Amino acid sequence: MTTRLFIDGAFCAPVKGGSFAAIDPATEQEFAQVAAATGEDVHLAVRAARRSFDAGVWADLPASDRAATLRRIAEGIRAETPALAAIETRDNGKPLPEAIWDIEDAAFVFDYYADLAEADAKAPLRTIDLGDDRFDGRVWREPVGVVAAITPWNFPMLMAVWKVAPALAAGCSVVLKPSELCALSCHELARIIDAAGVPAGVFNLLTGDGPSAGAPLSEHPLVDKVAFTGSVATGRRVMQAASAGIRTVSLELGGKSPFVIFDDADIDRAVEWILFGIFWNKGEVCSATSRVLVQKALYQPLLARLKEATEAITIGPGDQDGIKLGPIVSKSQYDKIMGFLARAQGNGARLITGGGRPHGMDTGYFIAPTIYADVPPEAEIWREEIFGPVVCLAPFETEEEAIHLANDSPFGLAAAVMSHDLDRCDRVAAKLRAGIIWINCSQPTFTQAPWGGYKTSGIGRELGREGFDAYFETKQVTRFARDADWGWYLGGGDAQ
């Protein structure tokens, strides 16, 4: 299988004809060739998006028509859920049930933003009281224009849809550049979008690496907004590139999210949510609650129960029945995580379980689910985003100490707190410096709720109403009454 780019309503080969291998992380074997876009392809795609937006072939359609098309996209995704999920499992390594959940969620996102587009069109124009009856003021909302959407490999289609669906719903034209590590499901998404009747040039797909495709896309002068999800380091480069053209940027970046568990919490529920918070999707989750703070009275009992539950997790290729933990996405990411584990031995942390390859699994990028206890707050594994199945635990005594330790991080994407005392949960939630707070749970994500972080975890919000509003510009229109007097220059200088 060899994929193609999708530019101006047609699948095509890259101008320079290049491609790169898609590797199955469970077998380390190539199974497809992916089209490799370069700057020439970026220019063609952005110009197509610019032409389509300026011509109004999509932006000027009634919102009901755009919504109907988005719903056809959702139907197309649902009709192919098993095949799309199988592609993501092979490309990313995640267990098949998780991939199915992601694809189903992607379809719902299109339906949700179709509903918002229709509701937005029915809302009355906002008026402003200007305090002068000679003028009336109105606020108009207009689509931001051409959107460059640059998306990650951990939820390949879903993270792309988080940007593409609201952008299309708002009336924008889009150029999507998914991660080169997992681009195949986005290739299928382009086919489904085309079949749903989106006009040529409104949606374009570029597959390729960051330097060859991502950088020229984020720098392109005809792009109005860059929406990026990925690492902090790459996010900085994207922001710097976009700043040259003073264009709008939204960034969803890394995290090192804390999970504060008080000693009145139910131990089995706490363990279940710790497992879900760090081992779902192999820990390849930007919001993963990888720093667990446990009140001292519960610390040792919880640690023992967590070790037992972690060692019972089934590991293997994601397409096999009963697998809960698949392989890491790529050799480079596997090596990065193994580097963290090797360095952790000398930083004072105590290895409870895991810490390397599962026994007997010599092929594939597998890492055993790993627990470190008594991790010092200055340790690398406590402070840096590992982006793998590694959780760090440390004890605390007081609520104030827990809040301090939780907030002592350059990241601020998500945080969680668990206690039977809901007043305490609300009190702690109010003090946690993060954009997403979970109470008595970790990681449930809903399309209807805004998603984004504080500090180096990003700028702006996705999902929810906020994720729709992010793809609009705001215009104020002030009108002078036809029969009113002004007379600043011709009427003697009295404009009052």
Side-chain angles (χ1 to χ4, degrees):
M1 173 186 180
T2 301
T3 72
R4 292 174 292 169
L5 311 178
F6 185 71
I7 298 174
D8 206 10
F11 284 97
C12 57
V15 170
K16 294 184 176 177
S19 66
F20 56 90
I23 304 297
D24 184 336
T27 65
E28 304 182 40
Q29 298 300 308
E30 176 185 328
F31 68 96
Q33 282 287 313
V34 183
T38 60
E40 292 91 335
D41 305 297
V42 170
H43 187 60
L44 292 173
V46 174
R47 285 184 61 85
R50 183 83 263 163
R51 285 194 302 270
S52 72
F53 183 77
D54 291 345
V57 297
W58 179 253
D60 293 347
L61 287 179
S64 58
D65 290 356
R66 293 200 302 272
T69 305
L70 264 60
R71 292 190 181 102
R72 288 195 294 272
I73 297 171
E75 291 167 4
I77 292 171
R78 289 193 182 96
E80 299 189 32
T81 293
L84 293 169
I87 288 171
E88 292 222 334
T89 290
R90 193 171 191 189
D91 210 11
N92 171 276
K94 66 179 64 190
L96 185 59
E98 296 184 21
I100 291 171
W101 194 346
D102 293 348
I103 300 302
E104 291 173 343
D105 199 11
F108 176 76
V109 173
F110 275 104
D111 280 336
Y112 174 77
Y113 284 108
D115 292 344
L116 270 192
E118 288 185 325
D120 188 68
K122 294 174 183 176
L125 210 62
R126 188 159 69 90
T127 60
I128 312 168
D129 183 357
L130 300 174
D132 186 331
D133 60 11
R134 293 173 297 179
F135 300 88
D136 67 66
R138 293 168 291 165
V139 175
W140 292 355
R141 283 158 51 86
E142 298 178 347
V144 70
V146 174
V147 174
I150 303 174
T151 58
W153 45 260
N154 53 336
F155 295 91
M157 181 184 284
L158 182 57
M159 290 287 153
V161 165
W162 279 17
K163 295 173 176 28
V164 171
L168 291 179
C172 299
S173 292
V174 179
V175 180
L176 170 64
K177 207 295 285 185
S179 168
E180 65 272 23
L181 295 181
C182 292
L184 295 179
S185 61
C186 286
H187 182 270
E188 299 307 298
L189 176 64
R191 179 177 52 78
I192 292 168
I193 288 174
D194 184 43
V198 173
V202 172
F203 174 83
N204 305 270
L205 174 72
L206 299 170
T207 51
D209 63 24
S212 300
L217 179 58
S218 62
E219 296 166 358
H220 202 287
L222 297 183
V223 167
D224 297 301
K225 175 183 173 70
V226 181
F228 172 80
T229 297
S231 71
V232 174
T234 305
R236 285 195 180 100
R237 292 195 293 272
V238 168
M239 190 171 183
Q240 289 167 352
S243 70
I246 319 296
R247 59 182 60 88
T248 303
V249 177
S250 60
L251 303 173
E252 202 269 87
L253 306 177
K256 191 71 177 178
S257 301
F259 191 171
V260 177
I261 301 174
F262 288 94
D263 58 14
D264 65 340
D266 179 273
I267 193 167
D268 288 330
R269 289 186 179 181
V271 166
E272 174 64 25
W273 284 113
I274 292 171
L275 296 174
F276 191 74
I278 186 59
F279 298 136
W280 176 263
N281 204 51
K282 308 161 287 174
E284 295 171 346
V285 181
C286 53
S287 59
T289 38
S290 54
R291 292 187 295 138
V292 179
L293 294 155
V294 185
Q295 203 161 22
K296 280 192 174 179
L298 190 65
Y299 185 69
Q300 293 300 336
L302 183 143
L303 198 55
R305 178 72 185 90
L306 181 62
K307 178 179 184 292
E308 177 186 7
T310 298
E311 291 176 345
I313 292 172
T314 50
I315 309 168
D319 59 356
Q320 293 184 4
D321 289 342
I323 295 300
K324 297 293 186 182
L325 194 80
I328 300 304
V329 67
S330 68
K331 178 67 161 58
S332 61
Q333 184 65 14
Y334 171 86
D335 289 343
K336 177 183 173 183
I337 297 169
M338 292 296 281
F340 274 110
L341 300 182
R343 293 189 298 273
Q345 302 304 314
N347 64 17
R350 178 163 58 99
L351 179 64
I352 301 301
T353 189
R357 263 192 182 276
H359 180 70
M361 302 188 76
D362 299 324
T363 301
Y365 309 129
F366 293 97
I367 294 178
T370 298
I371 303 170
Y372 285 99
D374 310 335
V375 182
E378 67 277 6
E380 180 190 44
I381 57 170
W382 184 264
R383 301 198 67 81
E384 298 294 327
E385 184 178 39
I386 297 174
F387 222 66
V390 181
V391 64
C392 299
L393 280 80
F396 71 90
E397 292 187 357
T398 67
E399 180 177 315
E400 292 72 21
E401 181 189 7
I403 293 168
H404 170 74
L405 289 170
N407 286 335
D408 183 20
S409 171
F411 299 105
L413 181 56
V417 56
M418 177 171 278
S419 171
H420 280 305
D421 184 342
L422 295 183
D423 288 337
R424 175 162 61 184
C425 287
D426 285 343
R427 191 168 61 242
V428 172
K431 295 291 186 181
L432 293 172
R433 295 285 296 164
I436 304 153
I437 306 295
W438 293 295
I439 292 177
N440 289 329
C441 58
S442 176
Q443 301 307 310
T445 303
F446 297 93
T447 302
Q448 301 90 334
W451 183 275
Y454 292 11
K455 299 186 276 187
T456 61
S457 287
I459 298 171
R461 294 295 182 269
E462 296 188 302
L463 298 183
R465 178 78 208 195
E466 291 81 356
F468 183 52
D469 292 342
Y471 292 94
F472 285 94
E473 290 281 17
T474 300
K475 176 184 287 184
Q476 69 107 327
V477 179
T478 299
R479 182 170 58 189
F480 182 61
R482 178 180 300 176
D483 298 325
D485 291 327
W486 182 247
W488 182 255
Y489 289 103
L490 300 181
D494 183 6
Q496 302 303 314

